[in-house]
């Protein structure tokens, strides 16, 4: 049975994407960004194991909340998060945002990492760069990070930045 190492789950949050969201905080990160706001998430062993069914049950407790994968970096456990994303899409109409330190180009180029792309609606990509921090950036910490409409990007075969970040 597939298990994911999860640092935390926050229901009905409004900080990790538009509207109410269930944020799943993955344990494990290789990027280790300077001034990371969540360095306890770097060690995958700091997480608690959850099955996909347990996570789906928690996600479905918030009927009107969409879902955000964040961390840590969910793509460190890409196979497991892909299975979770696939199950969310099969059983609900929830959209999925995913935060990662990888760029879209790195993910798209990797056979392993790109398996999650068909199930993600929005990707906030790139490492947090402390020197590029700008106060007031919606849903991201530094100006190098992009909020990408994944499905339009895959369709058009070029990066499509999400125009309205609040819906």
């Amino acid at each position: 049975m597939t298990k994911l190492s999860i640092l935390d789950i926050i229901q009905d949050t409004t900080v990790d994407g538009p509207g109410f969201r269930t944020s799943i905080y993955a344990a494990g990160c290789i990027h280790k960004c300077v001034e990371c706001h969540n360095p306890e998430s770097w060690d995958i062993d700091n997480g608690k194991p959850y099955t996909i069914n347990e996570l789906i049950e928690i996600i479905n407790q918030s009927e009107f909340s969409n879902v955000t994968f964040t961390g840590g970096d969910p793509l460190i456990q890409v196979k497991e998060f892909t299975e979770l994303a696939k199950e969310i899409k099969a059983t609900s109409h929830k959209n999925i945002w995913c935060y990662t330190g990888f760029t879209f180009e790195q993910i798209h180029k990797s056979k392993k990492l790109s398996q999650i792309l068909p199930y993600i609606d929005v990707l906030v990509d790139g490492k947090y760069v402390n020197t590029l921090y700008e106060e007031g950036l919606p849903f991201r910490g530094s100006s190098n990070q992009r909020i990408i409409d994944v499905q339009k990007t895959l369709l058009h075969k070029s990066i499509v930045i999400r125009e309205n970040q609040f819906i």
Side-chain angles (χ1 to χ4, degrees), residues 28-46:
C29 186
I30 60 170
H31 307 293
K32 300 182 177 163
C33 303
V34 175
E35 298 294 326
C36 171
H37 75 287
N38 205 4
E40 66 274 14
S41 69
W42 294 354
D43 186 347
I44 198 165
D45 293 329
N46 284 343

Side-chain angles (χ1 to χ4, degrees), residues 77-140:
Q77 304 177 70
V78 70
K79 177 180 173 283
E80 293 82 359
F81 270 93
T82 299
E83 287 185 41
L84 176 60
K86 190 184 291 187
E87 188 65 21
I88 291 167
K89 290 297 186 181
T91 61
S92 76
H93 296 288
K94 297 179 183 293
N95 70 42
I96 301 172
W97 280 43
C98 180
Y99 286 77
T100 180
F102 295 101
T103 64
F104 181 88
E105 291 83 353
Q106 290 171 314
I107 297 165
H108 193 255
K109 197 179 339 179
S110 165
K111 185 175 181 180
K112 180 180 176 186
L113 295 177
S114 66
Q115 65 182 307
I116 199 168
L117 292 177
Y119 309 102
I120 299 298
D121 297 286
V122 173
L123 186 77
V124 182
D125 80 335
K127 296 177 186 177
Y128 170 73
V129 179
N130 194 41
T131 56
L132 298 175
Y133 167 79
E134 288 183 30
E135 192 171 319
L137 287 174
F139 308 123
R140 55 197 171 128

Side-chain angles (χ1 to χ4, degrees), residues 1-6 49-52 54-55 77 80:
M1 180 177 297
T2 301
K3 291 197 174 187
L4 296 85
S5 182
I6 304 299
Y50 283 87
T51 66
I52 289 176
E54 289 171 327
L55 292 170
Q77 304 177 70
E80 293 82 359

